[in-house]
Amino acid sequence: MKVLVVGKGAREHALCWRFSQSPKVWGLFCASGNPGISRIATPIDIEPDDIGALLRFAESQKIDLTVVGPENPLALGIVDEFERQGLPIFGPTKAAAQLEVSKSFAKTLMREAGVPTAEWESFEDPDAARRYVKARRRPLVVKADGLALGKGVTVCDDPDSALAAIAAAMEEKCFGEAGTRVILEERLTGEELSFFALCNGENALALGVVQDYKAAFDGDRGPNTGGMGAYCPVPRYDRQFEQRVMDQIVHPTLTAMAARGTPFKGVLFAGLMLDSDRITVLEFNVRFGDPECEPLMMRFEGDLAEALLAVTEGHFEQASVKLSSRSAATVVLASGGYPGEYATGLPIAGLEHIDGAEPSQLKVKWAIDRVRVKAFHAGTALRDGRLITGGGRVLAVTAMAASLERALGAAYEAAAMINFEGKQLRNDIGRRAVESAGSQQ
Ligand code: AMP
Ligand code: GLY
């Protein structure tokens, strides 16, 4: 099989890495890729949003399966274009991608499908939105309706901050057209988790729950980022919990999407809020999460190409979708200052301790402990053959081991070996889960 992966971050590196281990895959391409991906896949110099060029490439190369990482090409209709030409592609159509692209669409669908979500109202008139804020007593969340690079959500402590967020989105146009319509919703409290399911339009298979870390700094402080770390499985969330999410959320969503004539194919990513026994959907995404994809791909045991092709063709091969019972954890190394302003072009040192051919002491120790470690590239670049930083999130250091504690230990050992000026990371990924497991023993 010839596989094309669309995207250029650590999520796509993890997908390519898993594809590169499939005996069925003899041609692997990535558009546009990054220096880490280029070691295992042929880089194609086409931007992920350039659908016309991607289509021409896939046709000329007779690509058997295209897998899309980021949401933008999906929102632009890459799947519709490929399907029209009879090219197999894993992901939702433009109409089905509305689940992520428009928050009011997602909320309306959840209402129709009886999927539990925070109480909400949508507004196109800022004065009406302000009246709603004044009439409400409870804390609110203000969300720009459209795609806003993950920045369109303001969790408000008081009415004044809600009013300011409405003005910023609707009048100051901070998020451009994405803020023409705004959702005001009840602010929920609890624990957040990411849930992933592979969907073929009618049916779904659970990939499971992943814990991610959105805030920039330890203790969930600081601004929200694209994600600073992740791990799975999450100890307290077992098969029974997964089944509840499938029954209460995934299946009703698929049924409602199919009933509208826009069946959902691809990976459904539900952002969940858990409060004692209540599961609520905060948002849907229509793609793998980043960094959630990295620990998931570490644990994926089946043949990824076979599995995603089967889903794309509408049937499931249950046997090819299997995750290891071991734990995997990702620690993101970011540029100093991220998610605000940061420098790029800084030399990265130490990756050879993890990826190089030399058998280092650390590698021997990991081999004895049966630990697997990979540094997936997020924002890296090459200058004169040397690896430099090239983005906010630079590397997603991922390890898999028999327990979460060991996986985290190895990921942090590896993270400490890699250096670049201003390296920023969270030191508390998975800490609470490990501590609470320890206190239960
Ligand atoms: P979203 O893009 O809708 O997932 O929102 C981004 C982040 O805002 C989420 O990960 C939550 O941390 C927070 N958030 C969104 N909706 C709510 C809500 N109703 N109550 C509390 N926090 C929320
Ligand atoms: N980690 C969250 C996301 O990919 O949107």
Side-chain angles (χ1 to χ4, degrees):
M1 251 167 97
K2 281 166 108 176
V3 174
L4 168 66
V5 173
V6 177
K8 53 183 169 182
R11 164 181 52 204
E12 291 76 23
H13 191 181
L15 289 167
C16 284
W17 174 71
R18 195 36 94 195
F19 281 128
S20 72
Q21 289 164 3
S22 161
K24 298 227 158 93
V25 174
W26 54 271
L28 182 59
F29 304 88
C30 187
S32 53
N34 65 36
I37 295 174
S38 297
R39 292 165 66 175
I40 50 174
T42 306
I44 306 301
D45 190 18
I46 302 175
E47 281 302 307
D49 288 352
D50 190 347
I51 293 172
L54 290 169
L55 188 64
R56 285 191 293 279
F57 173 79
E59 277 185 312
S60 68
Q61 288 289 324
K62 301 199 169 48
I63 297 291
D64 298 294
L65 176 67
T66 297
V67 176
V68 186
E71 63 275 21
N72 243 351
L74 298 168
L76 292 170
I78 188 171
V79 170
D80 311 59
E81 296 288 331
F82 272 56
E83 285 183 345
R84 207 167 290 141
Q85 300 304 324
L87 288 163
I89 180 164
F90 175 80
T93 58
K94 185 173 182 175
Q98 290 300 304
L99 268 182
E100 173 164 358
V101 173
S102 163
K103 290 189 189 292
S104 57
F105 175 90
K107 294 294 264 188
T108 307
L109 189 106
M110 285 191 260
R111 189 179 272 164
E112 269 171 34
V115 168
T117 186
E119 204 185 303
W120 63 285
E121 216 52 72
S122 125
F123 297 92
E124 285 181 44
D125 168 11
D127 288 328
R130 282 189 272 267
R131 283 196 295 277
Y132 184 86
V133 171
K134 286 176 186 147
R136 289 257 133 182
R137 296 254 168 93
R138 284 184 295 177
L140 291 173
V141 179
V142 179
K143 300 185 173 183
D145 183 57
L147 289 181
L149 298 171
K151 298 195 173 76
V153 175
T154 315
V155 179
C156 305
D157 289 323
D158 49 53
D160 285 344
S161 54
L163 295 174
I166 290 167
M170 302 184 89
E171 289 163 346
E172 292 149 34
K173 298 268 174 225
C174 288
F175 313 112
E177 287 308 301
T180 307
R181 184 185 293 149
V182 151
I183 302 283
L184 300 186
E185 75 176 39
E186 165 201 9
R187 178 172 164 181
L188 301 171
T189 51
E191 189 181 350
E192 278 188 66
L193 291 168
S194 303
F195 187 89
F196 296 88
L198 295 178
C199 306
N200 73 353
E202 288 167 13
N203 229 319
L205 286 176
L207 277 178
V209 174
V210 185
Q211 180 70 69
D212 87 326
Y213 290 79
K214 288 198 173 70
F217 309 130
D218 287 7
D220 292 328
R221 288 192 310 269
N224 261 357
T225 69
M228 293 298 289
Y231 69 84
C232 65
V234 186
R236 282 179 300 134
Y237 300 106
D238 51 12
R239 300 299 294 184
Q240 205 185 335
F241 173 81
E242 254 176 53
Q243 197 52 53
R244 272 182 66 202
V245 177
M246 293 300 280
D247 293 345
Q248 293 177 15
I249 294 162
V250 177
H251 288 301
T253 300
L254 290 187
T255 306
M257 289 296 282
R260 280 175 168 247
T262 56
F264 185 89
K265 276 191 186 187
V267 61
L268 185 65
F269 164 0
L272 305 178
M273 181 75 98
L274 267 81
D275 193 0
S276 52
D277 209 33
R278 184 171 174 229
I279 310 174
T280 317
V281 178
L282 289 182
E283 63 162 349
F284 281 124
N285 297 306
V286 299
R287 53 176 171 82
F288 283 107
D290 190 354
E292 289 96 327
C293 187
E294 290 89 297
L296 274 176
M297 284 305 120
M298 263 271 170
R299 293 178 54 226
F300 198 92
E301 282 190 333
D303 185 314
L304 187 66
E306 209 173 277
L308 298 190
L309 185 64
V311 175
T312 302
E313 287 172 345
H315 55 89
F316 281 130
E317 275 159 36
Q318 185 94 43
S320 60
V321 180
K322 202 171 151 246
L323 297 188
S324 162
S325 58
R326 301 207 290 162
S327 291
T330 296
V331 175
V332 171
L333 306 184
S335 297
Y338 172 77
E341 276 180 34
Y342 53 83
T344 56
L346 303 167
I348 302 172
L351 260 181
E352 66 281 5
H353 298 295
I354 295 127
D355 283 349
E358 293 290 306
S360 63
Q361 251 184 343
L362 207 52
K363 281 196 229 165
V364 172
K365 177 170 165 266
W366 288 337
I368 293 169
D369 286 349
R370 295 189 55 245
V371 174
R372 192 159 201 187
V373 182
K374 285 290 302 172
F376 295 118
H377 291 225
T380 64
L382 285 175
R383 189 173 56 208
D384 303 328
R386 288 194 63 192
L387 198 67
I388 54 172
T389 62
R393 292 188 290 177
V394 178
L395 291 158
V397 181
T398 304
M400 179 167 76
S403 67
L404 175 60
E405 191 171 9
R406 282 184 169 203
L408 285 163
Y412 275 114
E413 265 174 343
M417 303 298 294
I418 304 169
N419 282 303
F420 52 86
E421 200 185 310
K423 179 177 88 173
Q424 175 185 319
L425 73 163
R426 276 186 67 158
N427 292 294
D428 62 346
I429 305 301
R431 185 185 291 164
R432 254 189 310 147
V434 169
E435 283 171 0
S436 65
S439 65
Q440 279 164 21
Q441 278 167 7

